[in-house]
Amino acid sequence: MGDMASDNGLAALGAEGAAAAAHALSLPAEAYGNDPRLEVMWAMKAYNHAEVYFNLISSVDPKFLKLTKMDDKIYSSFRETFKDLDIKLLNADDLKSEKAKETWRPFCNQFEGLVEDFNYGTLLRLDCEKDYTEENTIFATRVQFFAIEIARNREGYNNVVFKSKSSKS
């Protein structure tokens, strides 16, 4: 994962930029234009979230993880809405096509005010058996991430990551 983000990212923003990062990242992405410094901060936040999550599923049996207070509701609603979605190996159209967006939008919006930062950007692995790489990563909303990863955990798809990491210990 080390090549996706620079360890010097915050330093590159300068002291003033880094000091403003906490406030800036507390607002939704739509509040900004295309400020490159903010894009770097968002990318770093998403990368850090991805790294923490991958380390978590690598070290704890995923079927025991609880990602939110609403895991049961998110999972049942997700599987009700996306019965046939192949969560083992996603493709970009599963989240980004116009048809997919028509289904995802109401699904995500039902969690507004219930799931913290439900519409914030985060990174999602396309192939759940692989690490976060440029080719295996897509940008998704936080509730999409939760829905897919909760399902992957409960349905056993993330076990491959846990078993491969724990067998190397």
Side-chain angles (χ1 to χ4, degrees):
M1 285 187 59
D3 60 346
M4 279 183 59
S6 167
D7 291 336
N8 297 328
L10 281 178
L13 294 172
E16 187 176 308
H23 172 69
L25 293 176
S26 69
L27 300 172
E30 301 87 51
Y32 303 104
N34 291 326
D35 183 330
R37 291 176 308 158
L38 292 173
E39 288 179 11
V40 167
M41 287 189 292
W42 274 103
M44 289 174 55
K45 183 176 181 179
Y47 170 79
N48 289 337
H49 175 264
E51 187 173 43
V52 167
Y53 180 72
F54 195 80
N55 288 339
L56 187 62
I57 63 170
S58 298
S59 56
V60 176
D61 189 336
K63 71 176 168 266
F64 297 117
L65 288 178
K66 189 159 174 66
L67 301 182
T68 75
K69 294 176 187 165
M70 302 201 59
D71 281 15
D72 292 339
K73 169 75 175 134
I74 293 170
Y75 178 72
S76 62
S77 181
F78 172 70
R79 274 310 184 196
E80 191 177 296
T81 307
F82 299 96
K83 293 174 188 68
D84 300 322
L85 182 62
D86 179 6
I87 58 172
K88 182 177 185 278
L89 182 59
L90 296 168
N91 69 59
D93 285 345
D94 293 334
L95 294 120
K96 305 291 183 185
S97 73
E98 284 307 312
K99 185 177 188 295
K101 286 179 181 180
E102 287 174 21
T103 309
W104 276 109
R105 194 172 294 111
F107 172 83
C108 293
N109 286 340
Q110 71 180 308
F111 296 102
E112 184 173 9
L114 300 173
V115 173
E116 186 178 349
D117 302 335
F118 83 106
N119 66 343
Y120 281 36
T122 190
L123 300 175
L124 179 66
R125 293 169 301 136
L126 294 168
D127 182 340
C128 68
E129 295 185 355
K130 297 180 180 171
D131 201 339
Y132 286 91
T133 62
E134 191 172 335
E135 301 78 32
N136 193 44
T137 304
I138 190 168
F139 205 61
T141 67
R142 182 172 243 164
V143 79
Q144 286 175 311
F145 168 86
F146 283 141
I148 291 167
E149 290 297 340
I150 289 166
R152 286 173 168 174
N153 291 342
R154 291 184 176 196
E155 296 173 20
Y157 292 109
N158 279 334
N159 289 351
V160 172
V161 173
F162 173 65
K163 289 180 177 161
S164 72
K165 298 291 184 181
S166 61
S167 67
K168 293 177 184 173
S169 304

